[in-house]
């Protein structure tokens, strides 16, 4: 019997469970973007999206348009900071 991980794949490979394709974040550490803060997270960080991918940006508010740099990328979200 073949054992699949929680994403429907074998051996720790990451897949988008709904579409069966390999999932890769659309951002990388060190990249810079201009974004608009769309909402607030439970912890108080602003939330922006890049190609639907969630980016948490501390010290921002809904409606802010800021330039950010990506600090950390996880499977389903990333953390960034405002560039001044």
């Amino acid at each position: 019997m073949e054992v699949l991980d929680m994403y429907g794949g074998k051996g720790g490979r990451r897949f988008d469970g709904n579409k069966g394709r390999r999932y890769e974040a659309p951002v990388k550490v060190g990249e810079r973007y201009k974004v608009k803060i769309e909402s607030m997270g439970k912890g108080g960080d602003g939330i922006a999206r890049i190609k639907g991918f969630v980016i948490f940006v501390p010290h921002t508010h809904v409606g802010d348009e800021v330039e950010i740099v990506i600090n950390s990328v996880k499977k389903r979200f990333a953390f960034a900071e405002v560039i001044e």
Side-chain angles (χ1 to χ4, degrees):
M1 177 170 34
E2 188 174 45
V3 177
L4 301 178
D5 65 15
M6 64 187 239
Y7 298 105
K10 297 184 247 177
R13 291 181 288 171
R14 292 189 308 171
F15 287 85
D16 178 348
N18 295 328
K19 298 177 185 167
R21 293 186 295 209
R22 190 171 195 76
Y23 181 80
E24 202 169 302
V27 299
K28 296 187 184 328
V29 172
E31 291 180 335
R32 295 174 177 225
Y33 297 92
K34 288 186 180 178
V35 297
K36 184 172 185 176
I37 304 301
E38 301 174 0
S39 59
M40 298 301 288
K42 290 181 181 178
D45 293 341
I47 296 176
R49 294 181 187 272
I50 297 173
K51 296 182 181 178
F53 192 76
V54 172
I55 313 292
F56 290 101
V57 186
H59 312 297
T60 57
H61 300 91
V62 173
D64 289 353
E65 293 184 19
V66 294
E67 188 173 349
I68 61 170
V69 62
I70 304 296
N71 291 334
S72 174
V73 179
K74 306 297 182 189
K75 290 180 182 180
R76 303 259 179 221
F77 57 89
F79 295 101
E81 67 180 321
V82 175
I83 300 170
E84 297 194 34

